[in-house]
Each structure stands twice: as structure tokens, then as C-alpha cells.
Amino acid sequence: MKYVGEKLQFVIDTLNKDNTLTVTEAVRRMCENFGIDYSESARKAISAHLSKLSKLKSSGKVEDSEALLTAKGKKLDNKKQTFLITWAQNDTPIHKNFFKNLLSYKESLDAGLHVIAGRYNNPTSIWGQKNKEGEFWNKAVVPYLDAARHNLHKNLQVLSDIKIPPTGSTPLSGLNSVTGLESCIVGHPRQQVKSLPILDGYPHKLLLSTGSCTVANYTDSKAGKKSEFHHSIGFVIVEMDGENFHIRQVSADKKGNFYDLYKRVKDGNVMDNVEGAEAAVLGDIHIAHNDNEATDLSFKLLDKMKPKHTMIHDIIDCESISHHEENDPFRIMQKEENGTGDLRKELDIMLEWVKNRLK
């Protein structure tokens, strides 16, 4: 049996990047990465395994599967204007109905599909136990499997070459500077998005993780159960628009059906959502610091989506009575002078805003 998988890859990558790393430090990093409590027994066990894996690597028995080697040479189809990007775990079945829907949506949009190759070593997996010749990916995803890095746009990269452990609770951690000024997409079964602060004149920067097209397949450890809870069936969609691009995450229900704006994809069929979405949840409003143009566009989009319920939250900051400033006499005096220290006035402004939006 070949020794492959996400844990081995992490060890090899760590050692390759830092030849001065001590065994103790390597073990500590492994424990942190895999959610293992750092102890003397863990140190001894992992040290022994690390030595074994190093020998296997030098003997040439550790190698990438054919599917992964092909994925590392994946090319971007620059003729496409839309891309769907998801993640697949090795030695794990796909969510059949979701992947059927994903392929239908791909055809409907004439989109490029990229399935980022994910690795996870689960010795308790019944699917992994059946495979004695090394890792594999479901044959349905192999034509789309991706382990390379691509520039979809001058301000957007897909980092399929970065393997993030699926048990990581914050998949975007530490990636702020990896792509410089460019936004980026990484493969991970947990969907997370971060908007980073930028200087005036620079492009907005987002970090996003994809969600998965394979079912949950984790160990029965604490880290595994947490990851199972946060496992999302979904993808990221990117649409080119001249000098700009539009990007968003889409998540599916348990049956693998999903909505994307005013489109509904169910059981392999793509249709207009004439019935309207069940609900729309807007981002924080914060009237005092609101971007009116962005808000107006959001409400125009709601007219197309026709949600049965719209949830609006964080409408006001309650700056007039903020506990963060209650011990700052200079800020309190400033609010008294400019009229922002009046809670009733702040509530009246909120009510007027809501009335205007309900027209």
C-alpha cells in the first residue's frame, strides 16, 4: 500500500520548506495542524511515524496518484466568462444529486468547472479501506480535478495548489498576504469569506473558500466531528464583467438542490425561481455609515428574487449610548455638540429609513 494523503503531504511540505526544523518543532506543528493534543506520548508516536515516512519518501514509494498529477497540469479555459469552483475529498463519494445539479448549471451558464483536489487521511473510512492501491477521487470529478494555480482575472486567483486540511476551523487563516493585492479562492469543505481592509485606490480584496461536492468523511475525533458539523455542500461562482468580476458562494440543501440569485437548480433542472426565495438576509446596514448606492442595488435585486421574507439586522449602531465611549468625556462632548448623542433621534432616523424601504 502506498503512503499518500493530506497528512503526509503536510509533513513533506513542512520539511521541504524548512530544512532547519527540529523534530520537536515539526511534531508541534503537526499536532496543531491535525487537531491533536500535544503531549509526550503524541510526540513519541509522531516522531516515529515521521521517521518512517521520511524513509518511504527517500525510497521513492511515496508518490502522487495519476489523477493528482493530471490535476497539477490543469489549464484554465480563457474563453469562459463564468467559472464554478468546488472541492472534492480523496477516497470519498460525491454528493450525487448535487454534482448532477452542478453539471447542469455548468451547461446552462457555459461555465468552466474546477474541482479542487482535497486530501484527508481517514483510517476509519470504509471507502478508504476498500482502496488498497493508494488515493483516488470519484471518477465523476476526475475530468475537472484541479491542483494548479490560476489567474481568473487580474485581481483574482484560484489557489488550487494550496492544500488546506479539511479539519481546519478557519480555512482562510494566514492567507491575507499570499496573493498580494489580488482576491483569492481556496478549496475547503467549510465555506468562509473575509473582506480585507484596503487603501483608497486599490482593488477590493476578498478571500473565499469553496464548499465541497463530496459527502462528509471524517474521523470520530473532536476535530473530525467539528468539521462534519461545518461541512458545506456548495461552490463559488465567478462571473467576468469586462474590467470587473462578480463572485459569490452558493450552498446546497441536504438533497443537493440550490438557489443562485433568481435561479433554482433542482434534480438536474435549471429554472427561473418564479415562486421567489423563501428568505433573504441582508448584511449589516448601519444607517449612519451606510453606502446608499450599494443598499439601493441590494433592494433592486430583491425585486428580482422576490423573497417571501427579508431579514434586516444591525440597522443602527446606537452610537448615542455606546458603552465603548461612556468613559471618554471628549467623545461625549462631541456627540452633545453635533447632536449624535440623542437616542430618540437615532431611533426616529431608523424608523424613517424602514418606512421608506417598505414603500
Side-chain angles (χ1 to χ4, degrees), residues 258-266 269-278 302-308:
F258 58 84
Y259 292 94
D260 179 30
L261 299 180
Y262 48 90
K263 291 291 184 181
R264 184 185 185 192
V265 186
K266 181 179 180 181
N269 299 308
V270 181
M271 62 199 89
D272 290 332
N273 184 30
V274 293
E275 297 178 357
E278 284 297 320
L302 290 178
D303 292 337
K304 287 189 175 183
M305 295 175 64
K306 301 180 176 62
K308 296 181 178 65

Side-chain angles (χ1 to χ4, degrees), residues 151-164:
N151 281 83
L152 298 186
H153 182 276
K154 65 180 181 180
N155 294 321
L156 176 64
Q157 289 189 27
V158 178
L159 307 181
S160 304
D161 60 328
I162 294 181
K163 301 296 179 287
I164 301 173

Side-chain angles (χ1 to χ4, degrees), residues 109-269:
L109 300 174
D110 187 27
L113 175 58
H114 292 251
V115 180
I116 297 175
R119 281 172 151 174
Y120 180 64
N121 183 18
N122 182 358
T124 65
S125 170
I126 59 173
W127 302 298
Q129 290 172 0
K130 292 177 181 178
N131 177 49
K132 302 300 182 183
E133 298 302 321
E135 67 185 350
F136 71 97
W137 279 267
N138 187 280
K139 62 181 181 180
V141 308
V142 169
Y144 312 102
L145 206 61
D146 189 0
R149 184 175 297 203
H150 311 285
N151 281 83
L152 298 186
H153 182 276
K154 65 180 181 180
N155 294 321
L156 176 64
Q157 289 189 27
V158 178
L159 307 181
S160 304
D161 60 328
I162 294 181
K163 301 296 179 287
I164 301 173
T167 51
S169 58
T170 53
L172 302 178
S173 177
L175 294 177
N176 291 15
S177 60
V178 170
T179 57
L181 298 176
E182 299 173 46
S183 296
C184 73
I185 302 167
V186 296
H188 198 272
R190 181 175 186 175
Q191 288 187 324
Q192 184 185 9
V193 61
K194 286 175 67 175
S195 178
L196 302 182
I198 51 144
L199 296 173
D200 286 343
Y202 287 90
H204 296 290
K205 182 169 182 175
L206 291 174
L207 310 180
L208 303 98
S209 56
T210 58
S212 175
C213 66
T214 48
V215 298
N217 178 21
Y218 304 94
T219 62
D220 56 359
S221 62
K222 176 183 176 181
K225 289 302 179 182
K226 286 172 61 179
S227 300
E228 185 176 315
F229 176 78
H230 291 293
H231 189 93
S232 295
I233 300 297
F235 61 97
V236 168
I237 180 171
V238 181
E239 298 169 317
M240 301 302 163
D241 183 13
E243 289 295 311
N244 302 313
F245 65 87
H246 307 285
I247 188 170
R248 58 189 176 274
Q249 293 166 321
V250 179
S251 57
D253 61 22
K254 292 181 179 180
K255 295 181 179 180
N257 303 317
F258 58 84
Y259 292 94
D260 179 30
L261 299 180
Y262 48 90
K263 291 291 184 181
R264 184 185 185 192
V265 186
K266 181 179 180 181
D267 300 330
N269 299 308

